[in-house]
């Protein structure tokens, strides 16, 4: 509903007193709203199932249920619908409870027609603004097409596509990937691009919580359920009402809880610890893990039936080393971010050598590591480019270890060695001393090899006299 349509809201009035429903219908219909009435919670529930309403007036005392219960149900089934609770004068506790459960406001009986129409107007306006915000947010999320999940590698583009397609559905998504690859970014994108965007997004890290705590955090408890439970507490699943839950490291959850979670997923109902009654819950589940799920199933750490339930859609986020071209793209992104954050806007880019170091590195910590490397470099940068010395230690020490080059097939070791010498000579401008150092050869050995491979240069000294030959220039191309 847009703001232009404010005049024509669809309103349901629930009260067993005909005088009240009649009066409200008259007042609201006169303002151009379409008004239906119901005498009980049962009747109201049926009406709400039938078609959606923008606003529901609910009397606190209904013959078959409390108004609070009906309110809770309405917000659960259709959280977009606004609810105004009608109460008797002075019932402050109830009013607070109602607001906590998502009521827009309350209306004290007896009321004047002006109060009713003003309140209805504000509730409908509120609803319209909320849905406009959501549309705006969706547009923003769509605009870049990357949902803030940066990357051009085909596998990343494919993830963008999956997010676009899967987000609007309620399908359970399992995100797999090494630590720091951006699983949480993907999960957030899924939430923001879904119709649940204006509802809570709740993250639970199962690996970080002791198992007893996971249970009470997730499912909530009744007062007295265990020592220390001195009051009723809603669990996170309940708190997510209408939103999304991200379960991080789901296989760290003890198996009996996995069974319990599976039941909640199947039945969409749960029981707080120590409670007899079940309550309906509405949430979308996203799980993530940085471990191999098939291995975890084999080991018995992850229940197979739960696995099938949580992985309707599976997304595998590739490690950074599998998408080398994205390194520079992400580096540029983080450079902009941190240059701004630390007020170092003169930093425009990275030097050629820095670029090489970043490109060669293996990124065991993935994007998280890259982000912190760039933050570090920005903090230390003195010039208008990030220089190699701005980079943290690991980039300097690890480069040789992690460097891989592709060697064409069918080459002999001798041919490889010859090529290595030729290229190094080229780099050093034919300087034998430097070439020996770079290749870690004893200099006489290098001379021997130069001779063997037929490189042409100055005379080839023997043994340790080589010291005097520093400036020997070798012609690389000669054979
Ligand atoms: N493609 C990306 N674009 C932009 N930022 C990213 C991207 N991938 C990761 N990041 C950033 O890298 C950091 C780590 O990402 P995130 O927390 O999502 O990783 P994760 O896979 O959930 O890691 P873990 O398994 O350790 O929980 C975050 O600061 C995130 O914003
Ligand atoms: Mg994470």
């Amino acid at each position: 509903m847009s703001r232009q349509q404010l005049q024509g809201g669809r309103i349901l009035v629930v009260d067993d007193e005909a005088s009240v429903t009649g009066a409200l219908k008259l007042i609201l219909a006169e303002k151009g709203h379409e008004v239906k009435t119901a005498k009980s919670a049962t009747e109201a529930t049926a009406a709400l199932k039938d078609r959606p309403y923008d606003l529901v007036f609910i009397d606190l005392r209904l013959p078959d249920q409390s108004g609070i219960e009906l309110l809770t149900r309405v917000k659960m089934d259709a959280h977009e619908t606004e609810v105004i609770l009608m109460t008797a004068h002075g019932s402050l506790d109830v009013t607070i409870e109602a607001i906590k459960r998502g009521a827009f406001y309350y209306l004290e009986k007896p009321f004047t027609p002006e109060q009713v129409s003003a309140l209805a107007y504000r509730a409908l306006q509120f609803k319209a603004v909320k849905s406009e915000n959501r549309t705006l947010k969706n547009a923003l999320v769509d605009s870049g097409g990357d949902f803030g999940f940066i990357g051009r590698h085909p596998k990343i583009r494919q993830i963008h596509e999956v997010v676009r397609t899967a987000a609007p559905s309620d399908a359970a998504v399992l995100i797999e990937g090494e630590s720091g690859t951006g699983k949480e970014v993907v999960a957030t994108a899924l939430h923001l691009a879904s119709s649940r965007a204006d509802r809570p997004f709740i993250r639970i890290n199962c690996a970080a919580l002791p198992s007893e705590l996971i249970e009470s955090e997730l499912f909530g408890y009744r007062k007295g359920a265990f020592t220390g439970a001195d009051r009723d507490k809603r669990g996170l699943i309940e708190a997510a009402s209408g939103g999304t839950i991200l379960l991080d490291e789901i296989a760290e959850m003890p198996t009996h809880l996995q069974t319990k979670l599976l039941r909640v997923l199947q039945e969409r109902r749960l029981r707080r610890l120590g409670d007899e009654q079940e309550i309906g819950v509405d949430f979308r589940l996203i799980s993530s893990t940085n471990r191999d799920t098939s291995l975890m199933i084999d080991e018995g750490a992850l229940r197979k039936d739960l696995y099938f339930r949580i992985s309707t859609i599976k997304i595998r986020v590739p490690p950074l080393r599998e998408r080398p071209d994205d390194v520079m793209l992400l580096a540029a992104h983080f450079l902009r971010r941190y240059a701004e954050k630390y007020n170092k806007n003169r930093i425009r880019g990275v030097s050629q050598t820095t670029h090489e170091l970043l490109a060669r590195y293996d990124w065991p910590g993935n994007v998280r590591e890259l982000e912190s490397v760039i933050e570090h470099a920005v903090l230390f940068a003195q010039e208008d480019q990030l220089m190699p010395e701005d980079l943290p230690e690991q980039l300097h020490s690890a480069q040789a270890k992690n460097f891989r080059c592709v060697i064409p097939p069918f080459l002999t070791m001798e041919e490889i060695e010859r090529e290595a010498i030729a290229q190094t000579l080229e780099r050093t401008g034919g300087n034998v001393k430097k070439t020996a150092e770079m290749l870690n050869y004893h200099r006489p050995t290098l001379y021997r090899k130069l001779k063997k491979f037929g490189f042409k240069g100055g005379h080839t000294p023997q043994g340790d006299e080589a010291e005097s030959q520093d400036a020997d220039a070798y012609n690389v191309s000669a054979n």
Side-chain angles (χ1 to χ4, degrees):
M1 189 188 64
S2 78
R3 277 192 233 202
Q4 289 75 22
Q5 286 171 291
L6 273 183
Q7 296 304 310
R10 295 177 40 74
I11 301 179
L12 178 68
V13 181
V14 194
D15 198 320
D16 55 335
E17 278 178 71
S19 61
V20 175
T21 47
L24 279 174
K25 187 167 184 171
L26 211 67
I27 300 165
L28 294 167
E30 207 209 327
K31 293 285 173 194
H33 303 298
E34 185 188 334
V35 187
K36 292 268 181 297
T37 60
K39 288 194 290 294
S40 63
T42 319
E43 238 179 65
T45 311
L48 285 159
K49 267 215 182 88
D50 214 25
R51 47 195 304 200
Y53 284 84
D54 299 316
L55 173 62
V56 187
F57 282 84
I58 300 175
D59 185 38
L60 177 62
R61 286 162 201 272
L62 293 171
D64 50 349
Q65 227 178 30
S66 86
I68 296 275
E69 278 171 301
L70 180 59
L71 153 71
T72 313
R73 167 91 298 151
V74 172
K75 292 307 277 186
M76 198 108 74
D77 293 343
H79 62 81
E80 312 230 304
T81 303
E82 295 304 336
V83 175
I84 292 172
L85 199 73
M86 297 183 282
T87 61
H89 177 66
S91 33
L92 190 63
D93 286 355
V94 179
T95 316
I96 292 172
E97 183 60 25
I99 305 262
K100 270 208 231 153
R101 292 191 185 221
F104 174 73
Y105 213 61
Y106 62 96
L107 181 64
E108 258 179 19
K109 288 182 187 173
F111 40 73
T112 65
E114 290 70 37
Q115 282 172 328
V116 173
S117 46
L119 203 52
Y121 179 82
R122 291 218 309 271
L124 293 172
Q125 191 182 33
F126 180 68
K127 179 172 188 280
V129 169
K130 262 200 321 197
S131 80
E132 261 176 34
N133 280 349
R134 201 172 36 251
T135 319
L136 202 66
K137 200 154 75 290
N138 287 345
L140 279 180
V141 165
D142 274 347
S143 62
D146 66 6
F147 306 97
F149 185 61
I150 293 166
R152 290 208 196 111
H153 189 278
K155 283 183 186 161
I156 300 295
R157 290 180 195 257
Q158 204 184 334
I159 293 176
H160 293 150
E161 199 47 51
V162 174
V163 169
R164 203 165 293 128
T165 332
S169 80
D170 258 351
V173 182
L174 175 67
I175 308 170
E176 295 176 317
E178 286 177 20
S179 180
T181 44
K183 298 185 293 295
E184 198 157 328
V185 182
V186 175
T188 311
L190 281 165
H191 173 71
L192 286 180
S194 78
S195 61
R196 298 173 176 270
D198 61 344
R199 306 298 300 167
F201 178 44
I202 293 183
R203 298 147 225 228
I204 303 151
N205 185 344
C206 303
L209 287 176
S211 64
E212 325 82 62
L213 220 58
I214 301 182
E215 181 163 23
S216 58
E217 282 293 304
L218 273 182
F219 299 96
Y221 50 81
R222 288 297 299 231
K223 182 175 169 173
F226 48 86
T227 11
D230 50 3
R231 64 193 167 93
D232 290 358
K233 188 174 181 290
R234 271 197 320 173
L236 291 169
I237 296 182
E238 246 180 281
S241 88
T244 307
I245 291 184
L246 170 61
L247 278 182
D248 223 342
E249 289 317 315
I250 191 154
E252 302 293 324
M253 190 185 267
T255 32
H256 78 277
L257 285 188
Q258 293 186 18
T259 316
K260 208 167 157 180
L261 176 66
L262 179 63
R263 256 200 68 220
V264 176
L265 286 170
Q266 276 162 350
E267 294 166 21
R268 300 278 151 188
R269 306 187 71 72
L270 69 72
R271 218 163 1 152
R272 292 181 187 179
L273 293 176
D275 202 352
E276 310 265 276
Q277 268 199 336
E278 290 201 325
I279 34 183
V281 285
D282 168 28
F283 65 99
R284 194 245 189 107
L285 182 70
I286 301 178
S287 323
S288 75
T289 174
N290 53 32
R291 296 179 49 198
D292 181 342
T293 37
S294 45
L295 206 70
M296 292 187 296
I297 293 171
D298 289 347
E299 285 171 356
L302 180 62
R303 284 192 54 145
K304 210 173 189 162
D305 43 10
L306 178 66
Y307 170 75
F308 286 126
R309 194 83 200 181
I310 61 175
S311 60
T312 313
I313 292 168
K314 237 164 78 164
I315 296 178
R316 182 183 169 272
V317 187
L320 195 50
R321 66 181 166 281
E322 281 181 21
R323 40 183 166 123
D325 292 348
D326 283 353
V327 171
M328 291 322 291
L329 193 69
L330 283 156
H333 166 75
F334 293 129
L335 175 61
R336 271 195 302 278
R337 175 188 291 176
Y338 289 105
E340 186 162 328
K341 177 168 176 194
Y342 296 119
N343 257 323
K344 291 190 141 183
N345 294 315
R346 64 169 196 286
I347 307 175
R348 296 258 161 260
V350 305
S351 78
Q352 183 57 34
T353 324
T354 309
H355 184 129
E356 278 166 25
L357 287 175
L358 293 173
R360 277 182 174 194
Y361 187 59
D362 205 34
W363 302 109
N366 293 298
V367 185
R368 180 179 291 116
E369 185 179 13
L370 174 61
E371 180 172 359
S372 86
V373 162
I374 299 294
E375 179 174 10
H376 174 108
V378 168
L379 272 170
F380 283 89
Q382 301 289 335
E383 312 189 20
D384 61 358
Q385 281 193 324
L386 298 185
M387 304 306 283
E389 57 271 25
D390 302 330
L391 298 175
E393 178 52 31
Q394 77 259 34
L395 269 98
H396 299 284
S397 48
Q399 59 160 308
K401 188 169 70 219
N402 292 316
F403 174 69
R404 289 195 69 208
C405 67
V406 182
I407 295 164
F410 315 119
L411 280 190
T412 63
M413 203 56 216
E414 233 176 64
E415 286 165 315
I416 294 169
E417 194 176 22
R418 186 189 187 284
E419 191 55 30
I421 294 171
Q423 287 192 18
T424 314
L425 279 170
E426 209 168 320
R427 269 194 202 110
T428 60
N431 185 317
V432 178
K433 185 181 177 212
K434 279 194 192 152
T435 302
E437 267 168 23
M438 285 174 79
L439 293 174
N440 201 17
Y441 275 142
H442 192 44
R443 219 177 317 164
T445 314
L446 178 60
Y447 277 114
R448 226 177 22 253
K449 290 188 187 287
L450 288 171
K451 194 170 168 201
K452 174 173 154 198
F453 294 133
F455 289 99
K456 298 226 170 69
H459 74 285
T460 311
Q462 299 298 315
D464 289 340
E465 323 154 39
E467 232 57 282
S468 59
Q469 301 302 318
D470 286 359
D472 263 0
Y474 267 75
N475 180 349
V476 179
S477 56
N479 203 338

